[in-house]
Structures are given as C-alpha cells and as structure tokens.
C-alpha cells in the first residue's frame, strides 16, 4: 500500500471521535487490514486503546513526535521511569 493511502487511513482514524473501546478496536482492525498488516492477535503487554487515548490527550501522533513526548506516554502507561529506551520502544509500538 502506498504511503499516501496509509496516511489517509491513519488520518481518518485519528480524526474520528473515539467513544468506546470496542469501536476503537473495530476501527483499528479495519485500518490494519486495509494496509495489508492485519492484527492476528492483540498484544498483551500494551492496552492499545489506553495508548491511543494517551497520545490523543497529548495532541496526537504528530504533536507527541514533534515535541518528543513519547517518554511521557510511556510513563503515563505505567512504565519504568528509569528505562533508557522507553521513548523509542513506545513510539515503535504505537506506529505498528
């Protein structure tokens, strides 16, 4: 899938108000399927809905990336504050 199509899908998903966790997960599965990277199982280390809402509360993906707030996201998710690779790992998980 072209990067433009992936960005369009990502923008649609972020701009749509998320009211329920079930709605979020349905949209996430659809988004991932459309970009040919379907979710076969939900990661059990990270609550994707809480992660998404945390990023949104800090201004969204672009703002969190631009302002280098991924460590704050990690901390809000209950991570170990002494972790040196937390920001990078959190961002990678979110992007996947």
């Amino acid at each position: 899938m072209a990067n433009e199509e992936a960005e369009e899908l990502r923008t649609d998903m972020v701009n749509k108000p998320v009211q329920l966790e079930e709605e979020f997960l349905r949209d996430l599965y659809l988004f991932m399927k459309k970009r040919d990277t379907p979710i076969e199982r939900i990661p059990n280390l990270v609550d994707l809905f809480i992660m998404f809402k945390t990023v949104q509360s800090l201004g969204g993906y672009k703002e969190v990336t631009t302002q280098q707030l991924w460590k704050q996201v990690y901390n809000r998710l209950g991570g170990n504050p002494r972790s040196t690779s937390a920001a990078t790992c959190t961002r990678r998980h979110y992007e996947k």
Side-chain angles (χ1 to χ4, degrees), residues 36-78:
D36 293 325
T37 56
I39 297 174
E40 296 177 7
R41 61 183 175 87
I42 296 175
N44 57 8
L45 295 176
V46 177
D47 185 322
L48 296 176
F49 181 69
I50 299 298
M51 183 181 227
F52 178 77
K53 294 299 282 182
T54 301
V55 171
Q56 293 308 298
S57 74
L58 292 170
Y61 173 81
K62 287 183 182 180
E63 184 69 18
V64 170
T65 301
T66 302
Q67 298 299 318
Q68 299 179 348
L69 302 176
W70 288 105
K71 179 73 164 121
Q72 285 186 10
V73 172
Y74 175 80
N75 291 343
R76 288 188 184 187
L77 295 174

Side-chain angles (χ1 to χ4, degrees), residues 22-44:
E22 295 83 18
E23 182 181 351
F24 167 78
L25 290 174
R26 185 184 68 238
D27 289 348
L28 178 61
Y29 274 89
L30 180 62
F31 170 76
M32 296 299 284
K33 186 177 179 180
K34 284 183 178 179
R35 64 180 278 218
D36 293 325
T37 56
I39 297 174
E40 296 177 7
R41 61 183 175 87
I42 296 175
N44 57 8

Side-chain angles (χ1 to χ4, degrees), residues 10-19 23 26-27 52:
R10 186 178 298 113
T11 300
D12 289 346
M13 188 174 172
V14 169
N15 290 335
K16 181 180 179 184
V18 177
Q19 296 177 6
E23 182 181 351
R26 185 184 68 238
D27 289 348
F52 178 77

Side-chain angles (χ1 to χ4, degrees), residues 81-95:
R82 292 180 293 230
S83 176
T84 57
S85 61
T88 302
C89 290
T90 303
R91 180 178 176 177
R92 285 184 187 154
H93 282 299
Y94 187 86
E95 291 172 343

